[in-house]
Amino acid sequence: MSKFGQPNSVENEGCANGCSSEIYKYSNLGLEVYLDCDAQFVVSGISVRSEQFTLDGFSPISMDESELVQAFQDLVIEVSDGKFTDYTSDEKGLLFFMRDGLVKRIDISPNIDKYMEIINEFEN
């Protein structure tokens, strides 16, 4: 986590409350990093809310739906109920959360199985 500096707060430190993730919150960066307690504290997800975040040359936070679909053409609608729309890209491990037609949050979920394979190689 040193790449991001010190977190503003840590939730569920050491997984004390029985949840599966320890969460490092970087409010100043609009970022949350999730560490999987059951998988040797590897990064299991990252949530981004900052307009400064870029992905494939685009800044998706605050994009409208047409801009998002044009920029990321492999997206599939997960949820759409008028107020909320969620798009996924399984290939890239991305989930875009939209509210009122604008991207508000992006979840990045790395392939945990692949991480575990790498970790197991180092342990053997």
Side-chain angles (χ1 to χ4, degrees):
M1 294 309 122
S2 61
K3 181 170 183 80
F4 304 121
Q6 290 294 325
N8 298 94
S9 65
V10 178
E11 281 187 17
N12 194 30
E13 196 163 356
C15 299
N17 72 4
C19 291
S20 62
S21 293
E22 186 173 273
I23 306 165
Y24 284 63
K25 294 189 174 204
Y26 299 89
S27 304
N28 54 326
L29 301 175
L31 187 70
E32 294 179 355
V33 179
Y34 295 78
L35 304 176
D36 190 319
C37 301
D38 298 326
Q40 303 172 2
F41 292 92
V42 298
V43 174
S44 61
I46 299 172
S47 289
V48 179
R49 297 177 194 272
S50 172
E51 290 183 18
Q52 295 175 352
F53 174 75
T54 60
L55 182 65
D56 294 341
F58 298 98
S59 297
I61 300 294
S62 296
M63 276 186 166
D64 66 27
E65 192 165 6
S66 64
E67 292 171 320
L68 180 68
V69 172
Q70 185 176 352
F72 304 96
Q73 298 181 2
D74 68 331
L75 297 178
V76 175
I77 292 179
E78 279 282 306
V79 174
S80 183
D81 69 2
K83 183 172 177 110
F84 298 99
T85 305
D86 298 348
Y87 280 94
T88 61
S89 169
D90 286 338
E91 179 182 320
K92 294 180 179 174
L94 300 172
L95 178 56
F96 296 88
F97 294 94
M98 302 186 80
R99 185 176 69 230
D100 298 323
L102 298 175
V103 176
K104 299 294 184 180
R105 187 179 92 214
I106 305 162
D107 284 357
I108 306 164
S109 300
N111 184 329
I112 298 299
D113 292 333
K114 187 167 279 274
Y115 275 151
M116 293 310 295
E117 286 176 20
I118 293 168
I119 288 169
N120 288 333
E121 285 177 22
F122 283 113
E123 289 180 343
N124 294 329

